[in-house]
């Protein structure tokens, strides 16, 4: 009986994930009013950057839909070893891509694109999906307090050591008991539990490392605010979007709109790609 219930749960999770991907891939061009009537041109490479407690598979629905429309897509594997290292790794990665780039960051991935795109003339636009658009000298922890909000995630972390960690550093995971409601409250529970089980940890130092010169000061940016986010306070998202002068849309979503509402995320990326 237990095995049967477990298989049913796994099947439900797989079916829900497949439905999200299929739904995004099937989104017709006419369903994108932002870009209706514009003439097609050379398509930029879309680089999708995931954040902490996640991996590049979170972009499956959005990436599949972009590829179906002819965009070159790369889902970057974020090392999650700290803001300085991760940003330099992404900067080096971007230097190997010829032609125009649209750089998309989710959550902590936004901090990376903010740093890594600075000075790269190929990056034509930045897209923040419920993400950190940090200012110079600002940390992720400090940004969470913008607008008077409070992030609940730091109250529910599981910290584990990793080899070679600097003093007082360690890997941070979201407690799986709290992950579904904090990270993915608008996904089927079976899917959210699977995300909790497969989450990748981030180095704790990423929370407090000061950011460098922000790319959004010189590169046009777009921002999707997730009004039901319990990882980054929506108040902070709105403040960062306004500070960056970003073209902003707000939707009723958890921290993972690229999974729960991929069509909205797709539309914003395509707008930034024109």
């Amino acid at each position: 009986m237990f095995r049967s219930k477990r298989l049913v749960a796994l099947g439900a999770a797989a079916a829900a994930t497949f439905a999200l991907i299929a739904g995004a891939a099937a989104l017709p061009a006419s369903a994108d009013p932002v870009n209706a009537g514009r003439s097609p041109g050379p398509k930029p490479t879309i680089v999708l950057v995931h954040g902490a407690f996640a991996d590049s598979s979170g972009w499956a629905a959005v990436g599949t839909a972009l590829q179906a429309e002819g965009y070159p897509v790369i889902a970057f594997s974020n090392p999650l070893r700290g803001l300085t290292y991760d940003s330099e790794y992404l900067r080096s990665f971007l230097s190997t891509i010829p032609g125009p780039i649209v750089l998309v960051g989710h959550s902590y991935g936004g901090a990376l694109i903010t740093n890594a795109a600075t000075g790269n003339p190929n990056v034509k636009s930045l897209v923040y999906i419920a993400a950190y658009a940090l200012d110079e000298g600002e940390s992720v922890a400090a940004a969470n307090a913008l607008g008077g909000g409070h992030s609940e995630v730091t109250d529910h972390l599981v910290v584990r050591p990793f080899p070679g960690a600097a003093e007082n550093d360690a890997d941070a995971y979201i407690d799986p008991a709290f992950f579904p409601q904090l990270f993915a409250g608008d996904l089927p529970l079976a899917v959210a539990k699977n995300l909790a089980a497969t989450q990748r940890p981030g180095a704790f130092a990423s929370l407090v490392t000061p950011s460098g010169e922000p790319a959004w000061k010189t590169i046009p940016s777009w921002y999707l605010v997730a009004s039901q986010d319990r990882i980054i306070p929506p108040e902070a998202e709105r403040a960062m979007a306004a500070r960056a002068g970003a073209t902003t849309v707000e939707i009723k979503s958890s921290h993972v709109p690229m999974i729960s509402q991929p069509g909205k995320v797709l539309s914003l990326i395509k707008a930034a790609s024109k």
Side-chain angles (χ1 to χ4, degrees):
M1 179 63 72
F2 174 77
R3 178 179 174 83
S4 176
K5 288 183 177 179
R6 184 169 179 270
L7 288 174
V8 168
L10 289 172
T17 303
F18 178 79
L20 289 168
I21 294 172
L27 186 70
S30 60
D32 181 15
V34 176
N35 298 298
R38 298 187 182 183
S39 58
K43 294 184 184 294
T45 298
I46 312 296
V47 178
L48 305 167
V49 182
H50 68 82
F53 318 119
D55 62 27
S56 57
S57 67
W59 294 112
V62 170
T64 298
L66 286 167
Q67 287 178 321
E69 296 199 26
Y71 288 91
V73 176
I74 302 174
F76 172 78
S77 292
N78 186 345
L80 299 175
R81 294 298 85 196
L83 182 57
T84 302
Y85 179 87
D86 297 343
S87 297
E88 285 304 312
Y89 186 78
L90 178 58
R91 182 188 298 275
S92 297
F93 182 87
L94 295 175
S95 72
T96 69
I97 301 174
I101 299 168
V102 172
L103 197 48
V104 185
H106 170 246
S107 191
Y108 168 68
L112 268 61
I113 71 173
T114 296
N115 283 270
T118 301
N120 186 332
N122 283 354
V123 179
K124 64 177 294 182
S125 54
L126 305 169
V127 184
Y128 294 90
I129 307 299
Y132 291 102
L134 301 179
D135 203 350
E136 187 167 7
E138 187 175 55
S139 68
V140 165
N144 279 334
L146 293 173
H150 170 70
S151 175
E152 299 179 57
V153 68
T154 53
D155 302 327
H156 301 290
L157 294 178
V158 176
V159 179
R160 297 186 172 103
F162 67 87
E167 186 176 359
N168 298 321
D169 199 8
D171 265 340
Y173 300 75
I174 299 177
D175 185 337
F178 293 90
F179 188 102
Q181 67 225 53
L182 293 180
F183 203 82
D186 54 355
L187 294 183
L189 184 58
V191 174
K193 285 184 174 181
N194 181 258
L195 291 175
T198 59
Q199 65 177 297
R200 286 184 56 204
F204 197 77
S206 301
L207 289 171
V208 295
T209 303
S211 187
E213 180 183 356
W216 49 256
K217 287 192 174 181
T218 56
I219 300 173
S221 60
W222 280 253
Y223 200 110
L224 186 146
V225 174
S227 67
Q228 304 299 306
D229 201 332
R230 296 180 66 182
I231 300 294
I232 305 176
E235 299 92 336
E237 294 180 12
R238 297 182 190 109
M240 287 186 281
R243 181 174 64 188
T247 300
T248 304
V249 298
E250 182 165 334
I251 65 174
K252 187 176 180 179
S253 167
S254 72
H255 188 58
V256 288
M258 69 286 189
I259 303 176
S260 64
Q261 299 189 49
K264 300 289 182 63
V265 174
L266 176 65
S267 180
L268 192 66
I269 294 173
K270 289 171 62 180
S273 301
K274 298 299 180 181

